[in-house]
């Protein structure tokens, strides 16, 4: 690889984490944001591709209570420096185009640059094609997946919090309608998400599992670092701190589980198959 093609020297991201929603992307952002070999935007989710080329099934049906860009910045605890202010001006007032997106990532030769936007997992073929034509040739795609039923339930609870509604007071019919919505269902359709991205990024697509994150945050983080080609020696102080935690911790009622298991039956089987294949490959690698 020539010097001009090294990560960090071309416009655009060196990696994108595309989700899944409620599968640890905020936690991963929180850890990578402090890594000395990583550059991340002060706003976690840029949402360029799902706005530029949204899934047709979600057009006009998704809204996010993001607040102002300043409210969304996770680590800016004091007055922003000049470089951060310039970046915010480009982000908020630039014409939203592929070149605008690529130039959101400063050329830093000794750091990998990336972003994490879980909504990208909802992109259809046209959306993923736009990603492929926009990012550099070396850009790596990460996807963290989670048991589809648990992921969907966590997503449903978050949607209720966003709208200020009380999920515990919802009738079964209302809950069923919310669970069956495209905004919930599409994010758990791993049988479509994985091949759609692997086809376009065959050598640069990597799958991770939320279950591994829960079992061993340190091992999960080291694995993510190895995929990004950065040092695995850095151990964040926040490694065991939960990010974007659901403080209410409302258990999934039986009716909701039955709805989700029926709706996601094929995805549950697909997730198990993908997980089993991953564990077999990992066991073979470790035994060498």
């Amino acid at each position: 690889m020539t010097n001009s093609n090294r990560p960090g020297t071309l416009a655009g991201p060196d990696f994108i984490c595309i989700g899944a929603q409620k599968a640890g992307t905020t936690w991963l952002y929180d850890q990578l944001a402090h890594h000395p070999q990583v550059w991340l935007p002060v706003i976690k989710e840029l949402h360029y591709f799902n706005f530029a080329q949204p899934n047709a099934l979600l057009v006009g049906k998704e809204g996010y209570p993001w607040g102002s860009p300043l409210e969304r910045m996770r680590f800016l605890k004091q007055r922003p420096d000049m470089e951060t202010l310039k970046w915010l001006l480009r982000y908020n007032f630039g014409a939203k185009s592929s070149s605008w997106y690529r130039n959101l990532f400063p050329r830093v030769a000794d750091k990998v640059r990336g972003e994490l936007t879980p909504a990208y997992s909802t992109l259809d073929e046209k959306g993923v094609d736009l990603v492929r034509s926009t990012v550099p040739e070396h850009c790596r795609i990460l996807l963290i997946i989670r048991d589809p039923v648990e992921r969907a339930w966590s997503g449903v609870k978050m949607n209720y919090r966003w709208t200020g509604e009380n999920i515990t007071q919802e009738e079964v019919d209302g809950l069923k309608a919310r669970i069956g919505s495209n905004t919930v269902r599409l994010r758990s359709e791993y049988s479509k998400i994985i091949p759609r991205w692997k086809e376009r990024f065959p050598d640069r697509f990597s799958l991770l599992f939320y279950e591994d994150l829960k079992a061993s945050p340190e091992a999960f983080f080291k694995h993510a670092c190895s995929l990004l080609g950065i040092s695995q020696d850095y151990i964040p102080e926040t490694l065991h701190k939960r990010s974007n935690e659901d403080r209410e911790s409302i258990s999934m009622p039986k009716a909701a589980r039955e709805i989700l298991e029926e709706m996601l039956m094929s995805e549950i089987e697909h997730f198990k198959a993908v997980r089993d294949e991953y564990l077999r490959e990992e066991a073979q690698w470790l035994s060498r």
Side-chain angles (χ1 to χ4, degrees):
M1 182 178 292
T2 64
N3 188 59
S4 61
N5 287 329
R6 288 185 306 176
T9 62
L10 299 176
D14 301 311
F15 73 91
I16 303 175
C17 181
I18 63 170
Q21 182 195 64
K22 309 308 295 180
T25 60
T26 301
W27 179 89
L28 184 58
Y29 175 93
D30 289 346
Q31 313 315 312
L32 289 175
H34 297 296
H35 195 295
Q37 295 177 323
V38 176
W39 180 93
L40 291 176
V42 289
I43 295 175
K44 176 202 168 196
E45 301 179 17
L46 300 185
H47 286 276
Y48 170 60
F49 296 109
N50 61 298
F51 283 171
Q53 189 65 62
N55 189 308
L57 295 174
L58 297 177
V59 174
K61 296 180 180 179
E62 291 208 328
Y64 303 91
W66 294 327
S68 71
L70 288 176
E71 291 171 334
R72 292 170 54 204
M73 292 187 296
R74 297 184 59 79
F75 291 106
L76 198 62
K77 304 301 183 183
Q78 53 191 356
R79 182 176 297 179
D81 59 28
M82 187 56 65
E83 287 303 312
T84 301
L85 285 173
K86 289 179 180 178
W87 187 91
L88 286 169
L89 287 173
R90 289 197 302 273
Y91 177 74
N92 288 303
F93 301 108
K96 307 301 187 286
S97 64
S98 292
S99 60
W100 165 85
Y101 173 79
R102 285 191 293 268
N103 287 320
L104 290 177
F105 301 88
R107 293 171 174 83
V108 186
D110 57 347
K111 292 189 177 185
V112 298
R113 308 147 306 163
E115 68 139 328
L116 300 87
T117 301
Y120 293 165
S121 66
T122 68
L123 295 176
D124 56 19
E125 286 78 6
K126 290 182 179 179
V128 184
D129 285 339
L130 177 61
V131 178
R132 180 68 181 83
S133 66
T134 300
V135 301
E137 285 293 325
H138 65 267
C139 182
R140 179 165 289 279
I141 304 298
L142 305 182
L143 173 64
I144 312 171
I145 62 174
R146 176 183 183 180
D147 176 278
V149 170
E150 297 293 337
R151 192 227 63 80
W153 174 246
S154 186
V156 169
K157 288 193 295 180
M158 182 178 69
N159 292 341
Y160 272 87
R161 291 197 301 274
W162 280 358
T163 59
E165 300 171 272
N166 188 343
I167 194 171
T168 63
Q169 296 179 357
E170 181 65 272
E171 301 291 337
V172 172
D173 287 345
L175 190 62
K176 187 172 184 177
R178 195 74 66 95
I179 286 174
S181 67
N182 288 330
T183 191
V184 173
R185 180 177 53 79
L186 289 175
R187 286 169 165 83
S188 288
E189 288 188 338
Y190 305 139
S191 63
K192 296 179 181 178
I193 296 170
I194 294 171
R196 187 178 293 151
W197 286 85
K198 284 187 71 172
E199 179 183 347
R200 292 160 177 82
F201 295 87
D203 301 321
R204 292 174 283 143
F205 176 85
S206 297
L207 200 59
L208 298 97
F209 292 85
Y210 177 80
E211 288 72 17
D212 293 337
L213 167 55
K214 289 191 68 176
S216 176
E218 182 172 346
F220 181 94
F221 184 64
K222 285 180 177 292
H223 180 46
C225 289
S226 71
L227 293 173
L228 299 179
I230 57 178
S231 173
Q232 300 177 46
D233 296 332
Y234 172 74
I235 305 297
E237 294 181 0
T238 56
L239 195 67
H240 295 280
K241 182 179 179 181
R242 298 186 67 176
S243 300
N244 203 18
E245 184 178 359
D246 175 14
R247 292 181 172 83
E248 297 182 9
S249 299
I250 301 170
S251 299
M252 192 186 320
K254 182 180 178 181
R257 181 172 292 280
E258 290 174 349
I259 295 168
L260 283 167
E261 288 180 348
E262 180 180 0
M263 182 181 76
L264 297 171
M265 186 179 302
S266 61
E267 293 303 330
I268 295 169
E269 293 304 316
H270 183 79
F271 173 80
K272 290 179 179 177
V274 169
R275 178 69 172 159
D276 288 345
E277 180 182 2
Y278 172 83
L279 291 174
R280 283 196 301 272
E281 292 177 349
E282 185 179 43
Q284 292 174 358
W285 183 84
L286 291 172
S287 65
R288 291 174 185 172

